[in-house]
Every structure is written in structure tokens, then in C-alpha cells.
Amino acid sequence: MATKREQREQTSAALRTTARRLFAEHGYAHVGLETIAQAAGVTKGALYHHFSSKAVLFRQVLADVQNEVGEQVQHAAEAQPDPWTYLVEGCRAFLTASTHPDIQRIMLIDGPSVLGWNDWRALDEQSSARLLTEALTTLIDAGTIPRQPVEPAARLLSGAMNEAALWLAQSGNTDADRDATMTALTRMLTSLK
């Protein structure tokens, strides 16, 4: 028999999973708390016990999504033999992960508009943006790329990849466009050397 704490954790996880699916399918603006509660098999009161508002629930779903993407990026990067390919493959993994429709909808489309730019960036800093900054710092310290301020470089690369992911979401020829985007990304990264 599950303890009360385990039950709370299970309910919270079920609500986040259900909300994630619904936010990805319909978008934040088109999903109500009643719909989430019903789909998760709980009362609206139980939902409010865990999340004080739809925005709070969305923030947690977004944090889950960003952590998932960050883990995918880190896994791909850490499989590489050197810091340069760590950066390149990490960036490629970010683009690959963020081209998944539910990731794009939650992380790149609804995330900034629902939370606001500053809160969205703060969550991003805890996951893939942090990894990007760390990779660039390592490459600068090793002399692989010229000494420069890391923050602007990380933000420029992050912005370029976010924009590319959004463009890929709208492209008509996703596989060919993804390949072309990966080629352009690799050239852009190589120009840092």
C-alpha cells in the first residue's frame, strides 16, 4: 500500500503527464484545468492541491520538458571523445530533440509566451543552456576557440538553434530541412574556431 507521500507524488506525476499531453496536442490556451483533471482521473480540487494554477502546472511541465531535452543533449555530448565534438553533437542533439512537435509546442512556442521571457530563460539556464555555456567555457579554456565572453556566444548559439527548431516545425520537407539545418549548424560552429 502506497504511503500518502507516494500517493501525492503519483498524483502529481499523473497530472504533469496528462497536462503535457494535452498542452502538446492543443496548446496552453486551449486546455482548461477541468479537462486536465478529468483526463488524469482526479478532481479539480485534487489538481489545485498540487498546482495552484494552470500557469504553475505549465511551468512544471515545461521544467520537465527542458530537463528531458537537457538530459538528451548531455547524453549525446558525453558520448563524444573530445570537447569539440561534445559541443557539436550536443548542439545537434538539441536540434533533434527540439524538433519533436510536443517539445516545440511546450518549450519553444508556449513556454516564452506563458511564463514570460525572463522566467523562460531562467528555466532554460538550468538545462541545455547551462550545458552550452559549460562546453564553450571548456573550449575557450583549452584554446580551441578564441578567448571571448561566453555569455553572448552561448546566447547567440542558443537563439540560432531555437529559431532553427521553430523553422523546422513549419517546414514542409522536415528530413531534408533538418539535414540542411544540421549542415548549417556545423558550419556555424566550425567558424568559432
Side-chain angles (χ1 to χ4, degrees):
M1 186 168 191
T3 66
K4 287 192 181 266
R5 180 179 179 200
E6 291 170 336
Q7 288 174 339
R8 282 191 305 269
E9 289 172 1
Q10 290 170 353
T11 300
S12 177
L15 286 165
R16 289 192 325 269
T17 298
T18 301
R20 178 178 175 165
R21 178 179 54 79
L22 292 170
F23 290 146
E25 288 174 8
H26 307 288
Y28 176 84
H30 302 289
V31 177
L33 288 177
E34 184 70 36
T35 302
I36 295 169
Q38 286 177 353
V42 302
T43 66
K44 198 170 176 183
L47 187 151
Y48 275 117
H49 178 73
H50 293 277
F51 303 99
S52 60
S53 68
K54 184 168 86 165
V56 169
L57 175 55
F58 180 82
R59 182 183 180 85
Q60 184 58 57
V61 168
L62 175 59
D64 292 345
V65 167
Q66 286 187 318
N67 287 334
E68 179 183 306
V69 170
E71 288 171 7
Q72 291 176 27
V73 168
Q74 188 166 13
H75 178 74
E78 287 179 347
Q80 302 311 309
D82 63 79
W84 179 253
T85 53
Y86 176 104
L87 172 69
V88 172
E89 292 307 312
C91 289
R92 292 171 63 90
F94 173 82
L95 262 184
T96 299
S98 63
T99 56
H100 194 275
D102 70 323
I103 300 288
Q104 286 176 334
R105 179 70 184 228
I106 293 169
M107 188 172 80
L108 298 174
I109 297 170
D110 286 345
S113 66
V114 172
L115 295 184
W117 182 252
N118 289 333
D119 285 349
W120 180 82
R121 286 296 302 154
L123 281 177
D124 189 47
E125 288 295 327
Q126 297 170 14
S127 59
S128 53
R130 177 185 52 80
L131 297 171
L132 181 58
T133 300
E134 290 171 2
L136 289 170
T137 301
T138 299
L139 290 167
I140 289 169
D141 291 346
T144 306
I145 60 177
R147 187 150 300 282
Q148 60 189 289
V150 174
E151 287 299 317
R155 296 212 186 275
L156 286 166
L157 285 174
S158 178
M161 289 186 290
N162 286 340
E163 184 62 30
L166 288 169
W167 176 74
L168 285 169
Q170 305 301 317
S171 77
N173 188 355
T174 306
D175 290 338
D177 290 339
R178 185 177 18 245
D179 292 344
T181 301
M182 293 297 187
T183 299
L185 174 64
T186 302
R187 285 184 185 135
M188 184 170 49
L189 292 172
T190 300
S191 72
L192 292 173
K193 286 185 162 185

